[in-house]
Amino acid sequence: MATTNMPQLHTLIEGETYKAIQLKGIPGMVIPYHHNTGEALLVVKEGEALLRMADGEHTLGVGSVFIIPANKEHTLTILTPFKAVKVMSLDAEIHFI
């Protein structure tokens, strides 16, 4: 059961070329459809989530590592208490649809 509540997004660290953003949420939270202006690497630290993209759905769990191509629309639904780190270039932005 999805809600309109979004998981917390918090910048952990910024370097000279990359930034790491922590995603943290509880079951039912959804990050609405969006795209990143640059490629992003998602590393799941806790829980499970469902990543939906035009080419299909991907269930991500602890230890999952997923590369999200630049400008590819996607959404993330939290299934169990969840924590992940998204790494992207410092100048990349998240644009909600």
Side-chain angles (χ1 to χ4, degrees):
M1 169 187 324
T3 70
T4 56
N5 294 328
M6 271 190 39
Q8 298 172 347
L9 301 173
H10 172 73
T11 301
L12 293 172
I13 191 167
E14 291 185 354
E16 290 184 32
T17 55
Y18 295 98
K19 59 186 168 189
I21 300 168
Q22 179 176 276
L23 289 80
K24 185 177 178 181
I26 59 173
M29 288 184 159
V30 175
I31 298 178
Y33 272 98
H34 63 285
H35 71 270
N36 307 307
T37 58
E39 190 172 68
L41 175 73
L42 187 65
V43 180
V44 179
K45 305 299 284 176
E46 295 177 19
E48 278 192 331
L50 181 64
L51 177 68
R52 289 186 179 101
M53 303 171 84
D55 63 353
E57 297 181 347
H58 309 274
T59 301
L60 305 176
V62 175
S64 293
V65 177
F66 198 90
I67 295 175
I68 303 169
N71 301 310
K72 188 157 191 173
E73 292 180 14
H74 58 283
T75 183
L76 189 74
T77 302
I78 307 301
L79 303 175
T80 66
F82 186 78
K83 191 182 290 184
V85 175
K86 187 175 197 175
V87 179
M88 45 202 293
S89 66
L90 192 57
D91 61 350
E93 297 178 353
I94 299 171
H95 290 230
F96 290 94
I97 310 297

